[in-house]
Amino acid sequence: MLICSILELSDMAAGQMGLKASGRQHPLLPLVSLVLLIMFPVSAVHGLPIEGGAGEESWTDFWLMRLLFNVLGYASVVVPASIVIYYVRKTGYLEKGGHGCLYSTVKACVSGLDEVKQSLEVGGAKPLEPEKTTFQRGIRLAFCVVGLQASYLTWGVLQERIMAHEYGKDENSPGEKFTNSQFLVFMNRILAFMAALLIMSSTKQPPHTAPLYRYSYCSLSNIMSSWCQYEALKFVTFPTQVMAKASKVIPVMLMGKCVSGKSHEYYEYVTAAMISIGVSMFLLAQTDSNKGSTVTTVSGVLILIGYMLFDSFTSNWQAELYSQYKMSSIQMMFGVNLFSCIFTSWSLIEQGGFSEGLDFMSKYSLFMLHVSLLSLCSATGQLFIFYTISQFGAVIFTLIMTTRQALAILLSCVIYGHPVTAVGIIGVLVVFFALFLKVYARNKKSKAKAKQASSDGGSTGKV
């Protein structure tokens, strides 16, 4: 019944937006429908408990039910908003003109500004700065490396700690785990939103031209991927999750082909195949070393597949927005987190998630500390990402983050004692060798293109 309700809501939104008549689909509808249809049979495999009892989870705590309730909550925002946008366009409200606050708000949400200017992130005019010495650039690079590693390594450790730790456990009490992943997503997004708002208010940004509603697509896929990321830790170990993240290059390539029609170089397919082999070796080793346990389950694998699908859509949709509207990275951070806060807060209100999360916080002060640090690391990590890319480019950033993934696996195994066999170690090495090989090949290709462009320019000058 829940899936039928979701599909009916999706059809209603598509009809109101005039997508059915034109034969086009909402970009997220096929993705959401596919993941839901794949995940639904798992309830029969694992046995969904109908009634909660002593020592038994309620049926609403089952991950698939949580997912369905979350999607229904998001739909209760998306469908009315789609109807409003359809009405504004149908009635020609913006074409009539206006100057009030309401008109400006509607214009910003539905159509955006008219003037398009080049963004600093994509090659626009930058203010002249004095040339940095090698020592100064080295200090700045070290600052970026330390900031990224500290933020995301701490974030990874806390993420696993929150989802696996039994708070309040002692000799007299069995303790309890926090199960509401969506509350954690909201806490991360609200702090990141406030940080982006503060930076936008205190620094000069390029004119914003994108309709605000365009951020909602990648925002929705972003919170879904984050939810899957937290939820997966109930079924798989953190090293397994990191390996799955490393292999997301494969769905990113496929999604880029579907969303933007991108073509890929031969080395990208080779490295993607190597990553697939390495991840398969690691997962098989994990399964062999944990026979008889539920560390790695069908549910965990399916949730990780959902994570990779949603996350690959997010990156490709953001790339399209950057290309089309030339916004700054801070504006992107603001827009995505704005809608993430709207979606998650409304869904939490409908499900009573805020009271659940806040009650757990008031009951366990350690949980409050963990969540606060998790949100702080997430927000600062995003800022370090944008700063590193702006100062040193995407290649250096990718190398830093690839190294971070390897360190995260090592740190998790040391702190939480996850067993890794020789086959698993070989699988990890294969994956990270493939990632570094991809970065090297991409950098070499970029240099070759730059050299070719320079020689072509020189030849034209001589003529």
Side-chain angles (χ1 to χ4, degrees):
M1 290 299 294
L2 286 172
I3 288 186
C4 291
S5 300
I6 294 172
L7 295 178
E8 288 175 4
L9 287 171
S10 301
D11 289 341
M12 184 188 303
Q16 293 291 343
M17 294 175 69
L19 297 181
K20 282 188 172 182
S22 61
R24 293 184 293 112
Q25 282 186 309
H26 189 292
L28 278 182
L29 290 183
L31 182 62
V32 174
S33 302
L34 176 62
V35 173
L36 289 175
L37 290 174
I38 290 175
M39 290 178 171
F40 187 74
V42 182
S43 61
V45 175
H46 290 275
L48 178 62
I50 305 285
E51 298 177 356
E56 184 179 283
E57 289 186 348
S58 168
W59 67 274
T60 56
D61 289 328
F62 183 65
W63 70 269
L64 184 57
M65 293 298 102
R66 288 274 196 182
L67 174 62
L68 294 178
F69 288 142
N70 291 349
V71 172
L72 285 174
Y74 306 148
S76 65
V77 177
V78 171
V79 173
S82 300
I83 295 173
V84 170
I85 292 175
Y86 171 78
Y87 175 79
V88 169
R89 289 175 172 171
K90 190 73 174 179
T91 58
Y93 173 78
L94 296 177
E95 285 72 15
K96 298 175 183 177
H99 304 285
C101 180
L102 176 62
Y103 177 83
S104 300
T105 302
V106 172
K107 183 175 177 61
C109 292
V110 177
S111 66
L113 300 178
D114 299 325
E115 184 182 6
V116 178
K117 291 186 178 181
Q118 192 77 346
S119 166
L120 298 182
E121 272 76 11
V122 291
K126 295 184 179 180
L128 294 177
E129 295 182 359
E131 187 72 21
K132 298 290 189 300
T133 64
T134 303
F135 177 76
Q136 289 175 325
R137 285 184 60 81
I139 293 296
R140 186 169 294 186
L141 178 60
F143 173 72
C144 292
V145 171
V146 172
L148 285 169
Q149 300 288 6
S151 297
Y152 282 106
L153 288 177
T154 305
W155 178 78
V157 170
L158 286 171
Q159 187 184 45
E160 185 171 13
R161 173 78 170 177
I162 290 173
M163 300 308 297
H165 183 63
E166 295 179 337
Y167 290 93
K169 184 177 182 179
D170 54 30
E171 296 179 355
N172 302 320
S173 175
E176 56 182 320
K177 293 182 179 180
F178 186 72
T179 59
N180 196 332
S181 301
Q182 186 173 216
F183 181 79
L184 299 176
V185 176
F186 171 79
M187 293 299 294
N188 287 348
R189 296 301 179 269
I190 189 66
L191 189 58
F193 168 73
M194 293 170 62
L197 179 62
L198 179 63
I199 293 176
M200 285 182 59
S201 303
S202 57
T203 61
K204 187 176 181 180
Q205 299 291 324
H208 188 268
T209 61
L212 288 178
Y213 84 91
R214 295 295 299 275
Y215 291 109
S216 65
Y217 303 125
C218 55
S219 173
L220 187 56
S221 61
N222 179 254
I223 58 179
M224 290 298 293
S225 66
S226 297
W227 182 89
C228 289
Q229 191 173 215
Y230 286 112
E231 201 71 15
L233 287 176
K234 298 177 183 178
F235 303 95
V236 301
T237 62
F238 183 75
T240 302
Q241 187 194 77
V242 173
M243 291 294 289
K245 290 182 183 179
S247 65
K248 74 179 182 181
V249 62
I250 302 168
V252 166
M253 290 170 62
L254 296 175
M255 196 65 69
K257 187 73 174 178
C258 297
V259 175
S260 310
K262 293 181 180 178
S263 58
H264 300 280
E265 300 292 335
Y266 72 93
Y267 70 84
E268 294 182 286
Y269 291 104
V270 172
T271 54
M274 292 176 63
I275 290 171
S276 299
I277 294 172
V279 171
S280 299
M281 293 174 63
F282 182 84
L283 292 179
L284 289 173
Q286 286 288 96
T287 302
D288 292 340
S289 64
N290 292 286
K291 284 182 178 178
S293 72
T294 56
V295 175
T296 302
T297 65
V298 175
S299 291
V301 172
L302 288 178
I303 294 172
L304 287 176
I305 290 174
Y307 160 76
M308 290 187 288
L309 287 174
F310 285 119
D311 194 64
S312 60
F313 178 89
T314 301
S315 59
N316 280 284
W317 188 266
Q318 287 179 326
E320 283 294 301
L321 290 181
Y322 277 126
S323 175
Q324 186 173 355
Y325 296 105
K326 320 301 181 187
M327 73 278 290
S328 71
S329 56
I330 297 300
Q331 289 171 335
M332 175 69 76
M333 182 178 174
F334 172 84
V336 172
N337 285 296
L338 169 64
F339 280 95
S340 296
C341 291
I342 293 173
F343 287 133
T344 53
S345 61
W346 186 255
S347 182
L348 286 168
I349 290 172
E350 291 181 337
Q351 300 179 47
F354 276 122
S355 60
E356 179 185 349
L358 295 176
D359 287 346
F360 205 88
M361 275 187 168
S362 62
K363 190 175 181 180
Y364 302 109
S365 57
L366 182 60
F367 173 74
M368 181 187 296
L369 175 62
H370 287 166
V371 172
S372 300
L373 290 175
L374 184 77
S375 302
L376 181 63
C377 290
S378 177
T380 55
Q382 288 188 50
L383 295 176
F384 271 110
I385 285 175
F386 297 137
Y387 181 74
T388 303
I389 292 175
S390 66
Q391 294 295 317
F392 299 99
V395 174
I396 297 297
F397 167 74
T398 304
L399 287 172
I400 295 172
M401 295 304 284
T402 302
T403 306
R404 191 271 302 181
Q405 290 178 317
L407 292 176
I409 292 178
L410 176 62
L411 197 60
S412 178
C413 291
V414 171
I415 294 177
Y416 298 108
H418 299 306
V420 180
T421 65
V423 175
I425 293 175
I426 294 174
V428 172
L429 294 177
V430 170
V431 168
F432 287 104
F433 175 77
L435 292 174
F436 281 113
L437 180 63
K438 181 179 179 180
V439 173
Y440 170 78
R442 182 183 296 172
N443 189 42
K444 187 175 181 180
K445 183 177 177 61
S446 298
K447 288 183 177 180
K449 283 185 177 180
K451 185 176 181 180
Q452 180 66 33
S454 177
S455 61
D456 291 344
S459 300
T460 303
K462 290 179 181 180
V463 175

